[in-house]
Amino acid sequence: MELEQGSSKNGAMQVEQVLFMNGGEGDNSYAKNSAPPREAILKAKPLLHESLFDLYSNGFPDCIRFTDMGCSSGPNAFLPTWQAIEALDTICSRLKHKPPILHAFLNDLPGNDFNTLSKSLPSFYERLKTEKRNDDFGSCFIGVVPGSLYGRLFPPCFLNLVPKELVSECGIPLLNKRDVCVAKTCLPSNVHKAYLDQFESDFTSFLNFRWEELKIGGRMILNFIGNDKHHTGVFELMGMVLNDMVYEGLIEESKLESFNYPIYYPCVEEVRQVIEREGSFNIHQLETSHISWSVGYENDNKGLEFNKHARAKNVANNIRAVSESLLANHFGSAIMDDLFHRFTIKISAHLEMGLGAHTVLFIYLIKK
């Protein structure tokens, strides 16, 4: 995307208009290709349970307002809400209290497939009625809130708990030439600084807005991809593929030089520094974990010999589901099948070397 230095506000609006997960339930949809985010949500479950126990046992509120930011659509969309219901059910049984009403808000950018999401609501409520009918669980109300999580979404002091995934939506100055993200091949030091400055600005804004919306003592559980400097990022491989296509004359060099993924993967200390400098939250817990790029394929084929092409195709489909909208908007939809075929081959070679893992940061914050 062609964004000039100093245009982060306009860049953010442009990205908001074209960034969305692939909708529907087809082969390239996010609904069918979202195993790594699901694994991250499952790994964050203990933090969610702990935060709800702390929140509920400190006053026994009649209603808890909960928002999942970056919900997308498909089977992951309701998973944090269901985890919250199960956690509250367990907590209230232990404390011998009637469960509170849960008011859940599902947030994502306006381009998200909210139609598919809304169509899934009746089956979610039916599951709740069937599985919790004997547990005297309180009512659960779910609403959708389209909008950027880098702006205000709720009234002041409105929310109790915010679990979310985090990415940057704003523009990056065009310093990166033919690298599409912060890569090991990035030579100018100002490339890393440009991405880091944007991340710090975005994350600070996010913390400011959530501080306004959360009640005193409200909780946030964050999970997002980080950087431990030991793992090659999957988008670096995409950059290699795009460069190959430039050499073959399939993509104009100027097109590649004007494209950057609006994503920065921070290390633990960069995240800690922003939180402490912004000053609105106490860090209760900050930890990392690793999730295989092909976790969905591996879970579906436990005990079987892996088919290296099918495994790589699974990874490529996961990335296609989350990035095709950006790539097609910039390079055109006509090359997408060829691009992701080449990407699959590149991933296969990487996995054959025993590589391929996301570093995921898990953070539990409490509003001061």
Side-chain angles (χ1 to χ4, degrees), residues 62-358:
D62 294 327
C63 177
I64 288 180
R65 295 190 181 98
F66 164 102
T67 183
D68 178 15
M69 296 185 169
C71 66
S72 192
S73 60
N76 292 351
F78 296 102
L79 183 55
T81 301
W82 188 260
Q83 289 178 337
I85 290 170
E86 289 188 321
L88 286 170
D89 199 12
T90 301
I91 292 164
C92 293
S93 295
R94 186 190 313 168
L95 298 176
K96 301 188 185 308
H97 272 262
K98 182 179 179 180
I101 293 170
L102 182 66
H103 198 177
F105 300 92
L106 305 183
N107 158 260
D108 214 314
L109 290 172
N112 185 50
D113 187 4
F114 286 108
N115 285 334
T116 297
L117 188 64
S118 298
K119 290 176 182 177
S120 302
L121 270 173
S123 60
F124 178 87
Y125 284 130
E126 186 60 32
R127 180 187 177 193
L128 179 62
K129 180 180 177 182
T130 301
E131 296 189 21
K132 298 298 178 183
R133 62 184 177 183
N134 296 323
D135 296 333
D136 195 29
F137 191 84
S139 299
C140 176
F141 299 94
I142 298 176
V144 297
V145 183
S148 169
L149 51 83
Y150 294 103
R152 278 292 298 274
L153 294 168
F154 299 98
C157 300
F158 182 73
L159 298 169
N160 299 102
L161 180 64
V162 181
K164 65 168 299 298
E165 297 176 87
L166 181 68
V167 296
S168 172
E169 293 172 10
C170 295
I172 299 296
L174 297 181
L175 306 169
N176 217 14
K177 292 299 181 180
R178 288 166 68 168
D179 286 312
V180 299
C181 59
V182 176
K184 293 181 176 63
T185 55
C186 293
L187 297 180
S189 60
N190 56 353
V191 171
H192 179 270
K193 185 177 186 304
Y195 274 87
L196 176 58
D197 288 348
Q198 189 64 63
F199 166 76
E200 291 178 343
S201 174
D202 288 345
F203 194 30
T204 298
S205 295
F206 169 79
L207 294 172
N208 287 337
F209 287 123
R210 300 299 81 79
W211 181 86
E212 293 181 29
E213 295 166 352
L214 278 163
K215 295 182 177 181
I216 297 298
R219 269 68 171 165
M220 282 204 296
I221 307 297
L222 311 182
N223 76 78
F224 50 91
I225 296 178
N227 171 28
D228 65 3
K229 297 183 171 60
H230 299 296
H231 292 81
T232 297
V234 69
F235 290 110
E236 290 184 55
L237 299 184
M238 177 61 77
M240 296 175 193
V241 173
L242 289 167
N243 271 279
D244 290 343
M245 296 180 77
V246 169
Y247 289 134
E248 294 179 31
L250 301 174
I251 294 176
E252 295 178 10
E253 184 174 7
S254 60
K255 273 286 187 182
L256 179 55
E257 290 188 350
S258 62
F259 178 79
N260 284 289
Y261 276 111
I263 296 171
Y264 178 74
Y265 297 148
C267 67
V268 168
E269 284 309 309
E270 289 168 345
V271 172
R272 188 190 305 276
Q273 288 172 12
V274 174
I275 296 169
E276 292 178 347
R277 185 167 59 243
E278 194 277 336
S280 298
F281 294 88
N282 289 318
I283 300 175
H284 183 74
Q285 196 165 337
L286 174 54
E287 59 187 36
T288 63
S289 182
H290 292 103
I291 296 175
S292 170
W293 290 354
S294 57
V295 63
Y297 176 84
E298 293 167 19
N299 288 342
D300 292 342
N301 293 272
K302 285 183 178 178
L304 302 176
E305 183 178 351
F306 289 165
N307 179 309
K308 65 179 184 180
H309 176 76
R311 186 182 176 205
K313 178 70 171 174
N314 173 265
V315 178
N317 284 347
N318 289 340
I319 300 304
R320 183 168 188 167
V322 301
S323 67
E324 184 172 14
S325 62
L326 285 175
L327 291 163
N329 178 263
H330 190 81
F331 297 105
S333 58
I335 69 165
M336 289 299 103
D337 286 343
D338 185 26
L339 172 63
F340 281 97
H341 173 70
R342 293 163 178 261
F343 188 47
T344 300
I345 295 171
K346 189 75 72 174
I347 290 170
S348 181
H350 197 71
L351 295 176
E352 280 290 289
M353 295 186 288
L355 304 173
H358 299 294

